Amino acid sequence: MTRAILGLCQRTVSLALPSKFLPFRHDAFFVAIFALAAATVGAVGWSGYVALLPAAAIFPALWAFAPSRLGSGLVAAAYFLVGSRGLPIGVARYFDAQIALGIGLWVVAAVPFVAVHATLWTPQARWRPVRYALVLLVMAVPPLGIVGWGSPLTAAGALFPGWGWFGLATMALLLLGMTTRIWPVMCVILGALTIASAATWSAPQSSLGWLGIDTKFPVSVTGRHADYAQQRETIRLVRLAAKQGAKVVVLPEGALGIWTTTTERLWRRELAASDVIVLGGATVVTPGGYDNVMVGITPSTADALYTQRMPVPVSMWQPWTQGGARAGYFAQPVIEIAGMRVAPLICYEQLLVWPVLQSFLQAPDALVAIGNGWWAGGSGIVEVQNVAVMAWAALLGLPLVQSRNA
């Protein structure tokens, strides 16, 4: 089937172009078509809508049947760059810099993804599924998994909600099937599953008694500032939520500011007359930099329960220098609070694969995702994060609590 389709395309182009253009036809025309298709898949799949997320599953077929190794690299570049198109705007706003800096980091971030796909591409049909399985693995775990955004595996929750690990395995088999000669059949199956999913999809609900509060506090360029006035306003929001029946209130990344003994005393004092529990983002200063954490607060205790496993590279995680955020990598996949085992994800981790799967291995009771999207602006990054965590929570049928500062 694949050869027939390619042959038909070649005959069509041969009729349209003089023979002297035939080498150009083979090397450039088909690569351009495949790259354009990959860009379209990246745009649709990562547009911020759960119903469109399964479109990303078409990418493996475009990669596998690219005309050449160079073509496979260009296909991967088109998919990744378009799928992460919000990055240049977000970087420029975060660093308060020109868009050129954002474009530069955007391109640099694409290099590992493109290199892996180009290196593991093969013209031998029998090895394509094996090679793509390696691609999925390499781009899912550190070190390259650190920039492993846009994994088609994320669509598992959109297509197979509640299927758990069996759903993830089924999704992987669907992706591997896309790299074989039966890819047209896989596309038909994907289309049917997508339609069924769109017709029956329901977003994961919050756990009973848990409430995530979204805020719109202004922040500094570092994104970690929370002065006394903001602390008081946040406390007011927590009290209001408690009056409305919330037992656990989840606050966005950085909502508690730099965590000190003074901040701890303030919060514990203000919660003394309530039985509400607060789980919120904060910054803990360390000798070599800082930790981006989730802090659990009750009237009697206040502890940093979770350290972010993967802070944002360059802007936060800077292993080549002092002063950046520390990466926990595989630490603390699950935390316990209010009698529940929670899978925690802070901001950037929601775009990756290994943090959420590592947490799922521990059989959590709920998924809690917090973020601080002040820097994202209208880039669509926050919408993509929302879709990703909803899909992951749906895959295992977990309650989902989200909280973000816009």
Side-chain angles (χ1 to χ4, degrees), residues 160 163-171 395:
F160 310 109
W163 287 33
W165 291 101
F166 180 69
L168 183 66
T170 304
M171 186 70 209
L395 179 65

Side-chain angles (χ1 to χ4, degrees), residues 168-402:
L168 183 66
T170 304
M171 186 70 209
L173 290 175
L174 177 63
L175 296 175
L176 296 182
M178 284 287 187
T179 67
T180 69
R181 291 192 176 101
I182 64 168
W183 68 267
V185 176
M186 294 294 101
C187 284
V188 172
I189 294 174
L190 175 64
L193 290 171
T194 300
I195 294 172
S197 172
T200 60
W201 169 265
S202 59
Q205 299 301 306
S206 175
S207 184
L208 186 63
W210 288 56
L211 177 66
I213 295 179
D214 293 331
T215 59
K216 291 188 177 181
F217 290 124
V219 292
S220 66
V221 172
T222 63
R224 298 190 298 272
H225 178 64
D227 60 16
Y228 181 71
Q230 179 176 321
Q231 298 277 3
R232 297 298 308 182
E233 174 60 16
T234 305
I235 290 170
R236 186 189 70 82
L237 294 174
V238 169
R239 285 177 169 173
L240 180 60
K243 288 181 180 179
Q244 295 172 347
K247 300 301 182 183
V248 179
V249 176
V250 178
L251 299 175
E253 176 189 18
L256 302 174
I258 298 177
W259 192 247
T260 64
T261 54
T262 302
T263 308
E264 178 183 342
R265 283 197 299 268
L266 170 67
W267 275 89
R268 288 177 57 185
R269 184 183 71 229
E270 296 298 329
L271 296 181
S274 172
D275 60 355
V276 69
I277 297 174
V278 173
L279 181 63
T283 299
V284 174
V285 178
T286 65
Y290 67 94
D291 291 336
N292 199 27
V293 303
M294 285 188 189
V295 175
I297 311 171
T298 70
S300 58
T301 61
D303 298 297
L305 302 178
Y306 173 69
T307 299
Q308 189 176 24
R309 283 167 282 178
M310 194 62 243
V312 186
V314 181
S315 60
M316 294 175 64
W317 182 62
Q318 302 168 353
W320 55 87
T321 186
Q322 294 290 315
R326 184 175 60 173
Y329 299 114
F330 295 99
Q332 299 169 288
V334 168
I335 60 176
E336 293 192 21
I337 186 168
M340 292 186 65
R341 290 168 51 79
V342 172
L345 294 174
I346 300 180
C347 201
Y348 182 73
E349 294 172 329
Q350 298 160 24
L351 299 173
L352 307 178
V353 175
W354 98 82
V356 67
L357 294 187
Q358 183 200 8
S359 292
F360 285 176
L361 283 170
Q362 303 299 315
D365 301 315
L367 176 60
V368 172
I370 66 174
N372 196 348
W374 64 271
W375 55 276
S379 64
I381 294 175
V382 171
E383 290 75 12
V384 170
Q385 288 178 329
N386 287 338
V387 164
V389 294
M390 282 195 294
W392 287 123
L395 179 65
L396 264 69
L398 294 179
L400 171 63
V401 185
Q402 293 199 71

